[in-house]
Every structure is written in structure tokens, then in C-alpha cells.
Amino acid sequence: MGILRETYFVQGLCVLAAVGLLTKLLVWKSYRKLLLASDHMEQPSRNWIGVLKKKFENYYQLDANVHNIACIVDKYFENHKILGINASFWEQIPGFCSILCVLLGCIGSVRGVVAGADPFLWIQSLMISISAGIGIFMLDYLFRLDHTKQLIRANLIHFLENVMPNRVDKTIAKNQKNKKEQLRQKAVIQEEKEKTEQIVDHWEQIASAKEFHLTQEDLQTLKDFINDL
């Protein structure tokens, strides 16, 4: 502990280590949300995956030709932002922190040499700084998110290329079937209405021939009787 209290820029090393770890956690959490959203594409999503899904729904409903879906997915993926900043920048921060740790150790060692400090002290300072930098770098490398990003990309391409077109086609076919059924029912109703009017006209003609006139109440009763048939 005495060495740590006397090590140059130890506060800076702690800050850099904390920034590197927190940044890695933030990026992991962001990609984790994207992975969950790509696994459940049928559910609404507020991020760019939801926008991409809506865009392709419009394409397929308009029967537009969509080419190179993977390229479109990659374009949206590259524009993924975390707290308004591109995700690729956040992913580089742990690497920068590891480099800065080594630089701080080198600067501390130079200052120790210039000040004539005990060589054992500034060598320990340099080794601690290098160890901190290597530790951050190793953690960043061991918990790389390349596999998670590949899963997200694969899920999106599969859904947009294979699942969504079939769903849109089924929806369009169902809507067309419902529309035809509604038109058929309207035609049936119109036909029944015309037949009723013909029957009413026929009865009126019979009544006129027999010098008998049907009142509005009689006509309405007759219409109700025919409708109940």
C-alpha cells in the first residue's frame, strides 16, 4: 500500500480503469438490448430496428423490389448510437484508456528520473501503469462483442429476408379475401333488396288491377314479412 500511495498519477490510473470498464458495460448493455429486439421482431421496438422493420413493411406492401438486404442492415447497424454518439466511438474508449495508462506510467517515470527519485519507486510506478493498461486491454479483448453483433445482424437479415415477406403476403391475401367477402355480402343484400322491391311492385300492380290500394302500413308489413323469409 505504501507503493500505491507514492506511485505517480495513481488517481489517473484509477479514473482511466473506471472509465474503460463503465464504457465496456454501457456498450454491452446497448448491444444486449439490440439482440433481444432482433430475437423478438414481432414486438414493437423504439430503436432503429423498429424503423428498419417499418421501412421494409412498406416496401413489401408496395410490392417494391428490395435488393441486397444485408447492405441495408449494415448501413443501419453502422449508424447505431449510444447516448447520441456512434457506438464505434464507445467501443474504442477502453483501448484508449489502456494506452493512456501506459503513457501516464511513462510520464511518471520520466518525472521520477528528472526529480532524482528512487529508481525502485519509479520502476514500480511504470510497472503498475503498464499492468493496468494491459489489464484493461485484456478485459476489452476477452469481452469483445463481435459475436453478439453477428447474431444481431443474422437475426435481422433472416427476419427481413425470409419471415417478413411471407407475413406481408399472408396479410395482403387475408385483406383481399375479406374485401371480396364484403363485396359479395353487399351484392347479396342489394339483390335481396331489388327482389323485395319487385315483389312490392307486383303486389301494387295486383292491388291496382283489383281496384285495391295498399296503404303504407300494409306495404311496410309486407316488407317485414318478406325480410323475415
Side-chain angles (χ1 to χ4, degrees), residues 33-34 37-38 40-58 76 80 156 159-160 164:
K33 289 182 178 179
L34 290 181
S38 67
H40 303 84
M41 291 291 290
E42 67 279 358
Q43 298 179 359
S45 179
R46 295 183 179 181
N47 50 37
W48 58 266
I49 290 181
V51 177
L52 183 63
K53 177 184 174 183
K54 184 65 178 177
K55 187 174 184 178
F56 271 83
E57 284 179 349
N58 295 334
Y76 273 81
H80 175 56
L156 292 176
F159 181 84
L160 298 175
M164 180 176 283

Side-chain angles (χ1 to χ4, degrees), residues 12-13 16-17 20 91-108 126 128-138 140:
L13 293 177
L16 289 173
E91 293 180 37
Q92 295 174 1
I93 289 180
F96 289 145
C97 290
S98 63
I99 294 174
L100 289 176
C101 286
V102 176
L103 289 177
L104 284 176
C106 293
I107 294 173
L126 180 61
I128 291 174
S129 301
I130 293 175
S131 299
I134 293 175
I136 296 173
F137 176 79
M138 291 300 296
D140 182 42

Side-chain angles (χ1 to χ4, degrees), residues 56-218:
F56 271 83
E57 284 179 349
N58 295 334
Y59 284 157
Y60 290 130
Q61 289 175 357
L62 295 174
D63 199 20
N65 293 326
V66 183
H67 303 287
N68 203 352
I69 295 177
C71 181
I72 299 175
V73 171
D74 290 339
K75 180 180 178 181
Y76 273 81
F77 212 155
E78 289 296 327
N79 292 327
H80 175 56
K81 298 182 184 300
I82 302 174
L83 301 178
I85 302 175
N86 197 284
S88 60
F89 174 79
W90 292 100
E91 293 180 37
Q92 295 174 1
I93 289 180
F96 289 145
C97 290
S98 63
I99 294 174
L100 289 176
C101 286
V102 176
L103 289 177
L104 284 176
C106 293
I107 294 173
S109 299
V110 171
R111 290 187 58 184
V113 172
V114 172
D118 184 2
F120 180 76
L121 180 62
W122 62 260
I123 289 175
Q124 286 184 328
S125 172
L126 180 61
M127 295 302 296
I128 291 174
S129 301
I130 293 175
S131 299
I134 293 175
I136 296 173
F137 176 79
M138 291 300 296
L139 286 174
D140 182 42
Y141 182 80
L142 291 175
F143 295 96
R144 293 181 65 181
L145 300 171
D146 292 346
H147 181 63
T148 302
K149 293 164 70 173
Q150 291 176 359
L151 286 178
I152 296 171
R153 183 177 182 273
N155 289 340
L156 292 176
I157 294 175
H158 170 68
F159 181 84
L160 298 175
E161 206 170 66
N162 302 317
V163 179
M164 180 176 283
N166 295 328
R167 289 187 178 180
V168 172
D169 291 342
K170 289 181 180 179
T171 301
I172 293 175
K174 184 178 180 181
N175 292 337
Q176 291 177 348
K177 183 179 179 180
N178 292 337
K179 188 175 181 180
K180 290 181 179 179
E181 181 65 21
Q182 291 176 357
L183 292 175
R184 189 188 67 81
Q185 291 179 356
K186 288 182 180 179
V188 171
I189 294 173
Q190 182 66 26
E191 184 180 357
E192 292 178 351
K193 184 178 180 181
E194 292 176 355
K195 288 181 179 179
T196 302
E197 292 177 352
Q198 291 176 359
I199 294 174
V200 171
D201 292 339
H202 178 68
W203 279 95
E204 286 184 344
Q205 292 175 3
I206 294 175
S208 299
K210 294 182 178 181
E211 297 181 353
F212 177 75
H213 181 70
L214 294 176
T215 63
Q216 288 296 119
E217 183 178 356
D218 294 334

